Amino acid sequence: MGIYFEEKSRVFTLQTKHSTYQMKADEQGTLLHTWYGEKTDNTDLSCLIARWDRGFSGNPFSVGGTDRNYSLDTLPQEYSCFGTGDYRISALKVENADGSRAVSLRYAGHTIEKGKYALCGLPAAYGTPEEAETLAVELADADSGISVRLLYGVFEELDVITRAVQITNGGKEGVTLLKAASLCLDWQTGDYDWLTFHGRHAMERNLQRTGIAHGVQSVGSVRGASSHHYNPFVMVCAKNADEEHGDCYGFSFVYSGEFLMETEKDQIDQTRLVCGIHPDNFAWRLEPGESFIAPEVLMTYSPQGQGGVSRIFHRLIREHVCRGQWKHSRRPVLVNNWEGTYFDFTGDKLVDIARDAAELGIELFVMDDGWFGKRDDDNSGLGDWYPNEKKLGCTLKELGERITALGLRFGIWFEPECISIDSDLYRAHPEWAVAVPGRSPVLSRNQLILDFSRKDVQDHLIERISDVLKSAPITYVKWDFNRSVCDKYSNALPAGRQGEMAHRFVLGLYRVLETLTQAFPEVLFEGCSGGGGRFDVGMLYYTPQIWCSDDTDAIERLQIQYGTSFGYPVSTMGAHVSAVPNHQTGRVTPLSARGCVAMAGTFGYELDLNRLTEEEKEEIRGQIRTFKELYDCIQYGEYYRLTSPLSGSCTVWETAAPDGSEALVSAVYHHVQANPVPVYVKLRGLDETASYRIRLAGAPEGQGQDERQTEHKAEEIRSGAALMHAGLLIPPAKGDYCAWQLHLVRINQ
Ligand code: DGJ
């Protein structure tokens, strides 16, 4: 297996198929980080550390103050501490009972076990004893009694290492954790860029690549959720690394709350990355005997550039994060009524849409916001999770039965963590709404936050949602969250523990999600936060798909889904075909382009189907047939970003079956030209020794699908080698936002 410990040198080497990770407990007991990257053997790589005397980088007194070459300020470390001689960004900052802020950790033992550790109350990647191993390294601070257990999960085959941290106060007095990061990683060598994903509501996860420079750079969130604004996924790449080549590392924080990912290039050009809970709203009281768990970070290294890292994360999330019945079951093609009706609907109107949906081959009808309490706009009703039977014209059960009688599944929307001031729940429990005593709270979308750090609030929501789910034939829930959290204060916590509220809120959310997903295993949960404001691996542990963005414009979606694909697989990205002109941008795109883009996700529709023409309906029937036919290739295929939507005239991506038996190449022109520059792409993941038949997806064998094809050959045969090494010419654009879906099937070995 992949974890080796060399007793004499106290070197730990974690070997995966293509990477090596190494650390060493040195002669002082400091746990040094010696290597992460290209695979090597178990050689002790502390020989690479330049231990030289440097001014203003002090030497720990515990070594007698005599070894001027030994400084925590320059040594690469596994878990850096604040206040004891390392002046760089730290992972652990503790306030002791006497008010001092100092902690220093030394090696105190370790264990190695088969299987992957789990974290109580927190999401974490999982694996069988055949798939994963766990290393736990114990570190201790002799002066305070604080001990730290560094947890490492090694997925050897997958090239993934996970990290989490458990901090225990073994001292006699209480302490406060001011920062408890989950990962600290030092590179002694190399010059790196990092890729971060920033955004805003309706334009999430825009790629930014910048050099890691001297000084501290960071991305993070203090919004109570991981946020639209920065995603808790980053890559660190060698300067020359690109989509296909070069050293590239990926880091994903398995957490849905406030986070901080920081880099620092130090005085001798070493690079440090620290990831964890954002310390700004964090101060965790640890009484003697108590422990705190810092959430997990997933890491990988690939010599195959950003694409290599993405594909590892896609497999990891699909196979070792997403759980339950829907992990491998086919997700239903859905229709959601939000952009079709907004709040303006009746039960009959919904059934009318569902009737058309059934006839088109759609499998799930989702009733969005507006079915409960007093909720005809977004100013009232949140918290009152009782069906508005007057508006629906029937009970929820009756509505569900009418929809299921059409052969569809029935789904429903909730926003459990929010409350309207104009709601019965607020009138009964104003103390459940988050606010700082004596101050007016910040309203957003005219709503407040429910204090999910409180157990009574959690229990109330579990009961309300369970009652609704039991009352009708519901097999899908959309879990929304439409504002950032501010005024972080909980009436249920004492003054000295208010710094725990933001994290306790997330733990409360996880408890509610865990309880409900276990109680209703047949229900497919889809996460959402005003689109993709909480698109993170933590949520994916409970909700195997997340609505990617409130921007449904196919051309904008190219960019959003492109950015999202760096850290997350297609099977997690909620994507729908909506009406034109698009409600967010006013842009008019052909139905074929909207279908093509939505098929790079969990695929569904979000428009009033009753308003479609017969021609449009026929095209939609074809899209659904195509999606169902190509489902495995799209959802489980290896994903390749062949061009970027940020440049050129056409975005092209490919999903290839892992065994090379088929592939789907999707291309959408975002810029049409009179005298076009041709677009060529080299395909990936094919069998070089085989031939492939190429035809338009959805077209019957040997026949064109529509008039676009008449100028294009119906079917072609090409070798895998030629497609991969010479390339493929993408057919030209025929009008604005033209889309092509080319299906390749291997025809011989
Ligand atoms: C935000 C979501 O992203 C939308 O899809 C929709 O569900 C609205 N909320 C409803 O309020």
Side-chain angles (χ1 to χ4, degrees):
M1 289 291 272
I3 302 177
Y4 300 86
F5 177 63
E6 172 57 48
E7 190 85 49
K8 215 161 138 245
S9 57
R10 300 203 293 184
V11 167
F12 298 91
T13 309
L14 280 41
Q15 296 286 8
T16 73
K17 212 169 168 187
H18 301 101
S19 76
T20 300
Y21 185 102
Q22 196 187 70
M23 57 201 134
K24 172 190 173 91
D26 73 7
E27 69 278 14
Q28 303 303 327
T30 302
L31 192 61
L32 303 177
H33 175 78
T34 59
W35 183 253
Y36 187 30
E38 192 173 340
K39 192 170 173 80
T40 171
D41 58 16
N42 295 356
T43 300
D44 177 356
L45 291 172
S46 64
C47 57
L48 295 177
I49 297 174
R51 282 206 195 183
W52 299 333
D53 182 8
R54 294 176 196 279
F56 290 83
S57 290
N59 322 110
F61 189 67
S62 59
V63 302
T66 49
D67 184 355
R68 292 177 53 154
N69 291 331
Y70 189 97
S71 178
L72 295 175
D73 197 23
T74 52
L75 285 170
Q77 291 170 67
E78 208 46 37
Y79 200 62
S80 60
C81 295
F82 181 87
T84 48
D86 185 348
Y87 298 93
R88 296 167 290 179
I89 47 175
S90 54
L92 182 64
K93 185 173 183 180
V94 179
E95 187 169 275
N96 297 302
D98 61 5
S100 63
R101 293 178 172 190
V103 63
S104 195
L105 299 169
R106 295 292 180 271
Y107 173 71
H110 73 272
T111 54
I112 296 173
E113 280 171 19
K114 276 192 179 298
K116 165 71 176 44
Y117 63 83
L119 300 175
C120 181
L122 282 165
Y126 58 89
T128 64
E130 290 70 44
E131 292 166 329
E133 262 185 303
T134 295
L135 165 67
V137 183
E138 304 287 344
L139 305 176
D141 178 34
D143 296 327
S144 66
I146 289 170
S147 65
V148 167
R149 167 181 275 215
L150 301 180
L151 292 163
Y152 299 81
V154 180
F155 291 83
E156 187 178 359
E157 263 306 299
L158 208 58
D159 282 319
V160 167
I161 297 175
T162 69
R163 288 183 59 172
V165 180
Q166 184 176 7
I167 302 161
T168 303
N169 182 1
K172 293 196 172 58
E173 294 180 281
V175 301
T176 303
L177 303 179
L178 298 176
K179 187 177 186 187
S182 301
L183 167 135
C184 169
L185 188 66
D186 283 338
W187 287 265
Q188 300 153 57
T189 60
D191 190 14
Y192 299 100
D193 287 340
W194 75 324
L195 275 60
T196 56
F197 299 88
H198 66 95
R200 57 189 186 274
H201 176 234
M203 184 36 84
E204 297 88 340
R205 291 171 292 286
N206 296 278
L207 167 66
Q208 176 173 277
R209 180 174 184 158
T210 51
I212 296 182
H214 288 281
V216 179
Q217 291 162 268
S218 70
V219 292
S221 163
V222 289
R223 294 169 173 273
S226 48
S227 87
H228 302 82
H229 303 78
Y230 296 101
N231 195 262
F233 172 79
V234 298
M235 284 190 188
V236 171
C237 298
K239 289 277 179 207
N240 63 355
D242 60 20
E243 188 58 40
E244 298 279 329
H245 317 94
D247 286 348
C248 202
Y249 302 81
F251 303 90
S252 204
F253 193 27
V254 189
Y255 191 60
S256 311
E258 305 189 354
F259 72 95
L260 183 65
M261 291 169 136
E262 309 162 272
T263 59
E264 182 174 5
K265 194 166 181 176
D266 74 7
Q267 56 178 323
I268 55 169
D269 288 358
Q270 300 180 119
T271 300
R272 173 170 286 181
L273 173 75
V274 174
C275 306
I277 293 177
H278 203 302
D280 276 7
N281 280 313
F282 178 82
W284 195 274
R285 189 79 194 140
L286 217 50
E287 296 301 339
E290 286 182 351
S291 287
F292 176 82
I293 299 175
E296 179 165 274
V297 173
L298 311 174
M299 341 184 262
T300 192
Y301 158 82
S302 171
Q304 287 165 350
Q306 292 125 30
V309 166
S310 293
R311 286 184 287 280
I312 293 170
F313 267 98
H314 295 172
R315 280 195 289 277
L316 172 67
I317 291 171
R318 277 197 313 252
E319 299 301 326
H320 300 280
V321 172
C322 295
R323 299 179 297 166
Q325 186 174 307
W326 291 99
K327 173 179 169 178
H328 286 137
S329 308
R330 279 191 166 228
R331 313 274 176 77
V333 176
L334 66 81
V335 62
N336 177 306
N337 72 303
W338 178 243
E339 287 197 15
T341 66
Y342 295 104
F343 293 102
D344 185 16
F345 60 84
T346 61
D348 285 345
K349 173 65 190 168
L350 299 183
V351 172
D352 284 346
I353 296 177
R355 197 171 292 114
D356 272 345
E359 199 271 314
L360 295 174
I362 290 172
E363 297 155 311
L364 163 68
F365 177 86
V366 179
M367 175 170 64
D368 211 278
D369 195 354
W371 58 268
F372 53 90
K374 178 186 147 205
R375 185 77 172 166
D376 289 324
D377 55 38
D378 54 13
N379 291 311
S380 61
L382 285 178
D384 296 341
W385 302 111
Y386 298 90
N388 182 342
E389 293 178 1
K390 198 163 159 236
K391 177 170 179 175
L392 297 178
C394 60
T395 65
L396 192 61
K397 182 165 186 278
E398 284 160 351
L399 179 63
E401 283 170 354
R402 288 174 74 188
I403 285 171
T404 48
L406 295 168
L408 293 173
R409 293 169 169 274
F410 179 48
I412 195 167
W413 178 96
F414 286 96
E415 188 174 0
E417 298 140 89
C418 286
I419 182 167
S420 305
I421 292 177
D422 184 3
S423 69
D424 291 342
L425 186 66
Y426 186 80
R427 284 181 279 274
H429 284 290
E431 78 286 5
W432 282 3
V434 170
V436 174
R439 289 180 193 270
S440 310
V442 172
L443 281 165
S444 184
R445 209 191 187 198
N446 214 1
Q447 63 200 50
L448 295 175
I449 300 287
L450 265 177
D451 184 357
F452 256 53
S453 73
R454 295 176 66 130
K455 183 156 181 306
D456 49 0
V457 171
Q458 298 162 23
D459 289 342
H460 173 79
L461 266 298
I462 290 170
E463 188 194 307
R464 278 300 342 114
I465 295 171
S466 300
D467 280 358
V468 173
L469 297 186
K470 279 186 220 149
S471 74
I474 296 168
T475 57
Y476 166 103
V477 164
K478 178 172 171 189
W479 188 290
D480 207 345
F481 185 41
N482 282 301
R483 57 160 294 180
S484 300
V485 188
C486 177
D487 307 301
K488 285 161 200 138
Y489 185 92
S490 172
N491 290 313
L493 290 171
R497 286 192 176 265
Q498 290 300 328
E500 300 175 16
M501 190 268 179
H503 181 53
R504 287 189 185 277
F505 183 96
V506 180
L507 294 178
L509 167 68
Y510 288 156
R511 175 174 169 255
V512 175
L513 281 167
E514 180 68 14
T515 309
L516 290 171
T517 49
Q518 295 303 323
F520 299 95
E522 72 288 358
V523 174
L524 169 61
F525 284 77
E526 175 156 352
C528 176
S529 172
R534 198 158 56 183
F535 205 116
D536 55 66
V537 182
M539 284 306 287
L540 290 172
Y541 187 70
Y542 306 97
T543 69
Q545 58 191 59
I546 299 176
W547 180 226
C548 202
S549 178
D550 271 353
D551 186 348
T552 60
D553 176 289
I555 302 308
E556 298 242 291
R557 270 295 183 117
L558 288 175
Q559 190 170 327
I560 296 167
Q561 293 175 194
Y562 170 80
T564 307
S565 77
F566 278 76
Y568 306 92
V570 162
S571 60
T572 63
M573 290 188 224
H576 301 165
V577 173
S578 60
V580 289
N582 178 266
H583 292 193
Q584 291 80 41
T585 61
R587 191 186 336 245
V588 176
T589 49
L591 188 49
S592 52
R594 284 174 274 153
C596 175
V597 174
M599 280 190 218
T602 58
F603 197 54
Y605 292 81
E606 183 158 338
L607 66 165
D608 184 350
L609 298 173
N610 301 152
R611 294 196 199 158
L612 295 175
T613 63
E614 267 320 307
E615 229 184 339
E616 287 170 323
K617 284 186 176 167
E618 194 44 38
E619 190 169 346
I620 286 179
R621 276 186 209 101
Q623 288 180 344
I624 294 171
R625 258 196 321 270
T626 301
F627 181 71
K628 289 180 181 171
E629 259 170 49
L630 301 181
Y631 186 92
D632 286 347
C633 179
I634 293 173
Q635 302 293 315
Y636 304 119
E638 298 283 347
Y639 188 87
Y640 299 91
R641 292 177 289 267
L642 300 183
T643 69
S644 158
L646 308 175
S647 56
S649 60
C650 185
T651 304
V652 191
W653 66 99
E654 176 194 352
T655 43
D659 66 358
S661 57
E662 64 173 331
L664 177 68
V665 176
S666 304
V668 178
Y669 280 91
H670 30 90
H671 181 53
V672 66
Q673 297 168 311
N675 183 8
V677 174
V679 177
Y680 296 95
V681 286
K682 287 184 178 175
L683 301 193
R684 298 282 165 241
L686 302 181
D687 179 348
E688 296 186 20
T689 63
S691 291
Y692 287 83
R693 192 184 59 225
I694 310 171
R695 60 189 173 90
L696 284 180
E701 243 171 83
Q703 262 183 45
Q705 176 180 262
D706 56 30
E707 76 285 355
R708 282 176 305 153
Q709 203 182 348
T710 53
E711 283 185 37
H712 203 70
K713 274 194 220 153
E715 190 168 305
E716 285 184 45
I717 308 254
R718 211 77 72 69
S719 75
L723 289 164
M724 289 178 68
H725 305 306
L728 173 76
L729 171 63
I730 299 296
K734 295 280 165 202
D736 261 352
Y737 312 118
C738 172
W740 296 99
Q741 287 178 295
L742 304 172
H743 184 211
L744 287 79
V745 179
R746 185 170 60 196
I747 52 176
N748 59 2
Q749 287 293 95

